[in-house]
Amino acid sequence: MSYFESRLLVDFNDFNDVLKKLKLCEELGIKNVIIEPINKFITISLENKKSIERETNLNTFYRINLRFDNLESFKRRIQAFNNFFDILSIESLNKEVQLHAARDSRVDIVSFSNPEIMKTLTPGVVSLTKQNKSFLEFSMAPIMVRNKINQSKNFRNLYRTIQLTLKLKGNFIISGNFNNIYDFRHPRALISICNSLLGIPLDKAKKIFNVNPILLLEKSKKQNLNNNEPEVRIIRGGDLR
């Protein structure tokens, strides 16, 4: 089964940036990417999607990430996503927002990729995402920072957060979430890091990068079965082409 990079950050205002990152993924042997614009879009245009599909042989999927400071803002803006066709991710330092996002069926991912947000994960959020069949997200980017003091601190926090999630049998994915192309790694390399440094059993580490992203896509697809969006074709086992 093919592995996923679940958070490929691109700048849709600079299509050369998009193509550079997609080509690098192809060169690394990555087959499946979930693309996220760094621009403040609430939708990704069909034109952008078609342009990407013409330029790459990758299996491409899409996500939007929203950041909220308070619950009122979350409740107000989430209404615009009743008929949203891509993956919806929520990030917030506010624990009330995290809890509401974890129980909201429109939300596919509650992201703890940011080093400061990562420290705020609670058992309640793990439990609610599990009940709702949504996913927590962690990222390798914080442990790739150049500052050794920050790197060490981020590593300890990531280790504790992942161990808590494993203990509670939570649903989660791990993305590279790299902005610097020199940090890009094939998911197999990230699996090795997860196993050897973060204490994730090898079979679970592999599922985080191949099975869980498929479950995430199926969850997002199922949420929109009653609308007219063309279906995402997801095949278990083998390549996704």
Side-chain angles (χ1 to χ4, degrees):
M1 184 180 292
S2 298
Y3 295 113
F4 279 75
E5 169 51 63
S6 297
R7 195 175 194 181
L8 181 68
L9 302 175
V10 301
D11 182 358
F12 276 118
N13 290 329
D14 179 2
F15 203 67
N16 286 332
D17 173 75
V18 178
L19 294 181
K20 179 190 287 188
K21 291 180 177 178
L22 291 173
K23 294 299 182 184
L24 180 57
C25 287
E26 288 184 326
E27 290 171 6
L28 288 172
I30 299 170
K31 302 294 186 184
N32 313 295
V33 295
I34 301 177
I35 295 170
E36 178 184 314
I38 60 173
N39 323 82
K40 293 184 178 180
F41 294 164
I42 60 169
T43 60
I44 302 169
S45 71
L46 186 59
E47 179 182 356
N48 276 330
K49 292 180 180 180
K50 287 184 175 179
S51 295
I52 287 173
E53 289 169 5
R54 284 195 299 267
E55 296 291 341
T56 181
N57 292 317
L58 297 171
N59 296 303
T60 54
F61 309 93
Y62 300 89
R63 57 181 279 177
I64 293 290
N65 186 66
L66 302 179
R67 296 175 175 87
F68 295 101
D69 295 325
N70 57 71
L71 185 58
E72 291 72 24
S73 177
F74 170 80
K75 287 181 175 179
R76 183 174 65 253
R77 291 192 63 196
I78 197 68
Q79 301 304 319
F81 293 87
N82 289 334
N83 294 300
F84 187 64
F85 303 124
D86 295 316
I87 294 168
L88 179 61
S89 167
I90 302 295
E91 268 183 326
S92 180
L93 272 168
N94 187 304
K95 293 187 177 182
E96 285 189 311
V97 173
Q98 294 171 10
L99 287 167
H100 276 74
R103 66 167 62 98
D104 194 308
S105 62
R106 291 165 290 196
V107 176
D108 303 302
I109 297 171
V110 185
S111 181
F112 290 84
S113 296
N114 180 286
E116 293 303 312
I117 297 175
M118 180 169 55
K119 298 184 293 187
T120 67
L121 180 66
T122 62
V125 172
V126 178
S127 176
L128 284 169
T129 51
K130 185 177 177 181
Q131 292 174 35
N132 199 36
K133 294 183 172 57
S134 54
F135 286 81
L136 302 168
E137 177 185 41
F138 309 115
S139 167
M140 289 295 190
I143 64 174
M144 298 293 283
V145 296
R146 303 300 184 259
N147 184 295
K148 296 301 181 184
I149 294 175
N150 288 340
Q151 184 185 62
S152 178
K153 180 177 66 174
N154 292 342
F155 174 79
R156 290 194 300 270
N157 289 331
L158 181 60
Y159 180 86
R160 285 195 292 264
T161 302
I162 286 178
Q163 290 304 312
L164 171 65
T165 308
L166 287 171
K167 180 180 178 181
L168 298 176
K169 299 181 179 180
N171 302 328
F172 69 104
I173 60 171
I174 296 178
S175 60
N177 190 30
F178 301 125
N179 194 38
N180 187 334
I181 62 172
Y182 296 106
D183 290 334
F184 279 33
R185 300 290 186 277
H186 189 282
R188 281 194 297 269
L190 302 184
I191 288 168
S192 178
I193 294 172
C194 288
N195 177 234
S196 60
L197 298 181
L198 296 174
I200 303 176
L202 187 57
D203 60 331
K204 283 187 168 62
K206 289 180 178 180
K207 288 180 180 178
I208 288 166
F209 288 91
N210 57 23
V211 174
N212 288 3
I214 291 177
L215 295 176
L216 168 64
L217 289 164
E218 288 179 342
K219 189 264 184 191
S220 180
K221 172 187 171 183
K222 184 176 180 181
Q223 185 68 25
N224 295 291
L225 279 179
N226 294 328
N227 57 47
N228 295 320
E229 177 73 358
E231 290 190 2
V232 174
R233 188 169 66 93
I234 300 173
I235 302 174
R236 290 186 175 277
D239 201 348
L240 294 186
R241 295 185 203 281

